[in-house]
Amino acid sequence: GESVGLHLPTLSVQEGDNSIINCAYSNSASDYFIWYKQESGKGPQFIIDIRSNMDKRQGQRVTVLLNKTVKHLSLQIAATQPGDSAVYFCAEIGFNRDDKIIFGKGTRLHILP
Amino acid sequence: NAGVTQTPKFRILKIGQSMTLQCAQDMNHNYMYWYRQDPGMGLKLIYYSVGAGITDKGEVPNGYNVSRSTTEDFPLRLELAAPSQTSVYFCASSGPSYGYTFGSGTRLTVV
């Protein structure tokens, strides 16, 4: 079946460095991609999204890159801070509004002091 | 504006007991979802609703039931609790945009 997956389950990054979290997706029909952040004991929170007609989108300290050729999505966090420690999920959704989001397993980002 | 509110936050059930997990949103969102998250895992869709009176199964619906009598509320019912249903349950809603708003979760343990 089609699924969203992640390359690394855990990523350790020095505080102040940039973080790059990767995600592979297999559904070429997916039209919309979202990154969520889930802190311990909380529900997922929307970070940033990107549509399939774009290859890059920037937010505050975060950038999402989409490579449709290799079906790859990445989240870049600039100047990683302790508050960035969380599990990050990528998610994909198809063209139809009634399509459900498919979530990946998540990558845990660990910030080293 | 409370967003998505889930109750209770924690619950311990004995095998075979029943309970209802409550979910309410005040954003007038048509779309609502129930997910479960097992330890160290991602989110799996249990049931979803595209509007009042309309519900449909997700990936893992067995052992659960839902109803959507109003736009605001989307309760999840467990009829005969089993240890395999030990998990954290998240309710979410979405409106005209695709982004989901999640509740803070209900941690359920079945013993």
Side-chain angles (χ1 to χ4, degrees), chain A residues 31-32 34 36 38 41-46 49 51 89 93-106, chain B residues 31 33 35 37 40-43 45 48 50 57-59 90 94-105 107:
Chain A
D31 177 51
Y32 182 69
I34 308 172
Y36 285 90
Q38 186 177 22
K42 297 183 179 179
Q45 288 180 291
F46 173 93
D49 57 1
R51 296 209 76 101
F89 294 93
I93 191 167
F95 284 101
N96 297 319
R97 183 60 185 90
D98 289 350
D99 283 350
K100 282 116 11 231
I101 281 185
I102 300 172
F103 289 91
K105 286 187 179 180
Chain B
Y31 295 80
Y33 312 84
Y35 288 89
Q37 186 176 35
M41 301 295 286
L43 296 155
L45 182 64
Y48 67 102
V50 301
K57 296 178 180 179
E59 300 173 73
F90 288 103
S94 68
S97 68
Y98 285 90
Y100 285 18
T101 301
F102 282 85
S104 56
R107 185 176 296 274

Side-chain angles (χ1 to χ4, degrees), chain B residues 28-106:
Chain B
N28 202 32
H29 285 170
N30 284 325
Y31 295 80
M32 295 188 75
Y33 312 84
W34 273 106
Y35 288 89
R36 61 176 287 173
Q37 186 176 35
D38 297 330
M41 301 295 286
L43 296 155
K44 292 186 177 179
L45 182 64
I46 306 171
Y47 270 96
Y48 67 102
S49 169
V50 301
I54 306 170
T55 63
D56 210 343
K57 296 178 180 179
E59 300 173 73
V60 289
N62 292 342
Y64 307 94
N65 274 301
V66 293
S67 59
R68 185 93 183 273
S69 56
T70 66
T71 299
E72 295 76 20
D73 300 296
F74 190 41
L76 177 72
R77 178 84 178 158
L78 282 72
E79 289 294 346
L80 291 169
S84 62
Q85 293 178 304
T86 294
S87 189
V88 180
Y89 292 83
F90 288 103
C91 178
S93 72
S94 68
S97 68
Y98 285 90
Y100 285 18
T101 301
F102 282 85
S104 56
T106 295

Side-chain angles (χ1 to χ4, degrees), chain A residues 13-62:
Chain A
V13 174
Q14 205 76 39
E15 183 178 347
D17 287 351
N18 297 335
S19 301
I20 300 176
I21 302 171
N22 295 306
C23 176
Y25 67 94
S26 58
N27 185 356
S28 58
S30 290
D31 177 51
Y32 182 69
F33 303 87
I34 308 172
W35 280 100
Y36 285 90
K37 173 185 180 182
Q38 186 177 22
E39 296 175 274
S40 181
K42 297 183 179 179
Q45 288 180 291
F46 173 93
I47 301 174
I48 192 168
D49 57 1
I50 188 168
R51 296 209 76 101
S52 60
N53 61 352
M54 303 170 68
D55 54 20
K56 180 179 181 179
R57 190 167 187 213
Q58 287 185 293
Q60 189 175 21
R61 276 202 312 119
V62 293

